[in-house]
């Protein structure tokens, strides 16, 4: 893997990525030996792993367990003993996990932290296909012996975000229909009439939103929000700012932005994480790990346009030099894999 001191490469984004689908046995064993000998040199370990494809990472993890009798993720988790290693070990272990396994771990952490990290759950329920969410829930149940949907539904005290997550979970279990323009138009009209064109009460508005979230697929909801903009001339989230913004509106705004304009949502979350203005201290690493194989190029473009600085430079400027920063830089400069999925 070549664990030399990391100097982030300036790779043009137009270059195609060429990750072999698999490693031969000698390469896998060599990688694992270098990993086993790299404890204490997390910079070198992280750089090598950052530039492996998803299939290669899985092969390395399986080979490491066969050679040394331990799961590589568990080994990295145990290395978190020193405070300065907490962040790098967290992102390294998440990167090695399969996406559904990673989501399960992130979801459990979000449940433990409470409302400060509710957006991690929003990102999972909004950003995954129903098949992916099912795999995550199975991984959650296998690892933690609990049902995530049930844990969310009994949270105390109940919050607006909790209600919306329960609705989205219901939608993922129930919907099996294609997107429909007529349904989108009707839903957009209902949202308008119960919201900014409100004739009813706040409770009617909330019940309308929750009903639509629980009955429509993510793709159908995206069509509804684009239809809303076409009919009423502005994004649906603009309407949430026109009146007095409360907890329900704040939660709904985050869900809609993550669903409808994900690159903008993640760029803003990364900026807050870099500047330290979010209560969710793990947001920066979590988002870079989860989006590195999905839409990191688009997020970086939005970030530069919105904040007038490259994401790479913002991380260098604000995050202390060390293993954690180097690994984040390695992930955002990696070439996209052709097998990446959202």
């Amino acid at each position: 893997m070549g664990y030399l001191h990391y100097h982030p490469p300036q790779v043009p984004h137009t270059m195609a990525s060429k990750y072999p689908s698999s490693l031969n046995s000698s390469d896998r064993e060599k990688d694992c030996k270098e990993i086993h000998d790299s404890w204490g040199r997390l910079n070198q370990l992280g750089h090598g792993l950052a530039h492996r494809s998803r299939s290669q990472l899985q092969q390395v993890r399986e080979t490491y367990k066969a050679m040394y009798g331990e799961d590589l993720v568990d080994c990295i988790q145990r290395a978190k003993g020193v405070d300065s290693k907490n962040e790098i070990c967290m992102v390294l272990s998440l990167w090695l996990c399969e996406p559904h396994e990673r989501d399960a771990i992130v979801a459990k952490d979000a449940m433990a932290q409470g409302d400060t990290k509710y957006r991690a759950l929003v990102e999972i329920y909004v950003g995954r296909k129903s098949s992916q969410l099912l795999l995550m829930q199975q991984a959650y149940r296998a690892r933690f012996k609990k049902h995530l949907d049930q844990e969310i539904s009994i949270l105390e005290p109940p919050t607006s975000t909790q209600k919306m997550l329960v609705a989205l979970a219901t939608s993922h279990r129930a919907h099996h229909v294609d997107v429909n323009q007529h349904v989108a138009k009707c839903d957009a009209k209902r949202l308008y009439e119960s919201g900014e064109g409100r004739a009813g009460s706040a409770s009617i508005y909330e019940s309308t939103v929750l009903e639509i979230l629980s009955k429509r697929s993510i793709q159908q909801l995206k069509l509804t929000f684009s239809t809303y903009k076409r009919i009423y001339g502005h994004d649906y989230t603009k309407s949430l700012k026109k009146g007095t913004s409360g907890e329900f509106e704040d939660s709904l705004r985050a869900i809609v932005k993550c669903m409808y304009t994900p690159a903008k949502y993640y760029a803003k979350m990364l900026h807050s994480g870099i500047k330290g203005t979010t209560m969710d201290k793990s947001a920066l690493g979590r988002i870079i790990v989860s989006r590195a194989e999905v839409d990191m190029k688009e997020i970086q473009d939005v970030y530069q346009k919105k904040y007038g600085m490259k994401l790479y430079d913002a991380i260098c400027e604000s995050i202390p030099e060390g293993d954690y920063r180097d690994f984040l830089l390695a992930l955002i400069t990696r070439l996209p894999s052709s097998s990446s999925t959202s």
Side-chain angles (χ1 to χ4, degrees):
M1 250 189 314
Y3 297 113
L4 302 176
H5 184 69
Y6 177 52
H7 297 284
Q10 299 297 318
V11 183
H13 286 296
T14 54
M15 291 179 62
S17 171
K18 299 296 182 183
Y19 290 112
S21 59
S22 62
L23 300 169
N24 61 47
S25 60
S26 61
D27 284 341
R28 292 199 300 270
E29 291 172 3
K30 179 182 177 182
D31 277 0
C32 290
K33 185 177 187 307
E34 291 184 4
I35 289 171
H36 190 261
D37 295 340
S38 290
W39 300 118
R41 302 194 303 279
L42 293 175
N43 179 292
Q44 298 170 1
L45 173 60
H47 182 224
L49 293 177
H51 295 281
R52 287 301 191 198
S53 68
R54 178 57 39 199
S55 60
Q56 290 173 342
L57 288 172
Q58 185 65 19
Q59 291 168 354
V60 168
R61 188 176 170 186
E62 291 171 353
T63 302
Y64 190 94
K65 187 168 185 178
M67 290 175 66
Y68 299 105
E70 293 183 289
D71 182 33
L72 188 51
V73 172
D74 293 339
C75 291
I76 293 175
Q77 286 286 344
R78 285 200 302 272
K80 290 169 59 176
V82 181
D83 287 344
S84 63
K85 292 183 178 180
N86 281 346
E87 291 176 319
I88 177 61
C89 288
M90 183 271 291
V91 291
L92 265 176
S93 58
L94 288 180
W95 178 245
L96 273 166
C97 289
E98 288 294 290
H100 61 276
E101 182 185 11
R102 177 198 307 148
D103 282 346
I105 294 170
V106 167
K108 184 63 175 178
D109 188 40
M111 294 293 294
Q113 295 298 319
D115 199 48
T116 60
K117 298 184 72 172
Y118 77 88
R119 290 203 177 192
L121 289 168
V122 167
E123 291 157 16
I124 291 171
Y125 276 84
V126 167
R128 307 296 182 263
K129 299 175 183 177
S130 296
S131 57
Q132 294 170 325
L133 193 65
L134 177 61
L135 287 174
M136 181 277 292
Q137 291 167 331
Q138 291 172 345
Y140 190 97
R141 190 161 59 249
R143 180 179 282 264
F144 304 113
K145 313 305 178 187
K146 294 182 179 180
H147 294 265
L148 178 58
D149 288 356
Q150 291 179 2
E151 287 202 278
I152 292 173
S153 67
I154 61 174
L155 283 174
E156 291 291 344
T159 66
S160 294
T161 305
Q162 174 206 24
K163 295 175 184 177
M164 293 181 199
L165 289 171
V166 170
L168 288 169
T170 301
S171 170
H172 274 291
R173 289 196 298 269
H175 72 74
H176 297 285
V177 295
D178 295 329
V179 295
N180 183 289
Q181 182 63 62
H182 176 70
V183 171
K185 185 177 180 180
C186 291
D187 284 349
K189 185 178 180 181
R190 290 181 66 200
L191 288 172
Y192 177 81
E193 291 177 347
S194 64
E196 64 178 305
R198 182 176 298 170
S201 65
S203 61
I204 292 176
Y205 170 61
E206 292 186 11
S207 64
T208 299
V209 169
L210 292 173
E211 179 190 347
I212 291 174
L213 288 179
S214 67
K215 291 184 176 180
R216 308 295 184 237
S217 69
I218 298 299
Q219 290 302 318
Q220 181 68 49
L221 289 168
K222 288 180 179 179
L223 181 59
T224 295
F225 297 132
S226 64
T227 302
Y228 191 102
K229 183 176 183 178
R230 178 173 54 81
I231 296 174
Y232 300 109
H234 56 77
D235 286 334
Y236 176 61
T237 52
K238 295 284 186 183
S239 71
L240 302 176
K241 298 180 180 179
K242 291 188 175 181
T244 301
S245 183
E247 179 194 348
F248 188 87
E249 288 78 13
D250 290 343
S251 298
L252 181 57
R253 188 182 302 114
I255 285 175
V256 174
K257 285 184 175 180
C258 185
M259 183 186 303
Y260 185 53
T261 54
K264 291 182 180 179
Y265 167 88
Y266 286 114
K268 184 175 181 179
M269 288 291 291
L270 288 174
H271 185 69
S272 297
I274 290 169
K275 298 303 179 183
T277 57
T278 176
M279 293 293 291
D280 185 353
K281 301 303 181 184
S282 65
L284 178 62
R286 177 187 79 238
I287 290 171
I288 288 179
V289 167
S290 67
R291 308 312 292 185
E293 299 175 289
V294 183
D295 55 358
M296 184 52 65
K297 169 62 169 63
E298 184 181 358
I299 292 170
Q300 291 186 79
D301 290 344
V302 171
Y303 189 98
Q304 184 170 358
K305 182 177 180 180
K306 184 175 180 64
Y307 300 107
M309 175 183 285
K310 292 182 178 180
L311 177 61
Y312 181 100
D313 294 335
I315 292 173
C316 288
E317 182 180 280
S318 300
I319 306 301
E321 184 177 355
D323 296 339
Y324 176 62
R325 187 182 79 173
D326 286 352
F327 186 62
L328 296 183
L329 295 175
L331 287 181
I332 68 170
T333 56
R334 75 191 298 274
L335 291 170
S337 170
S338 59
S339 61
S340 300
T341 58
S342 58

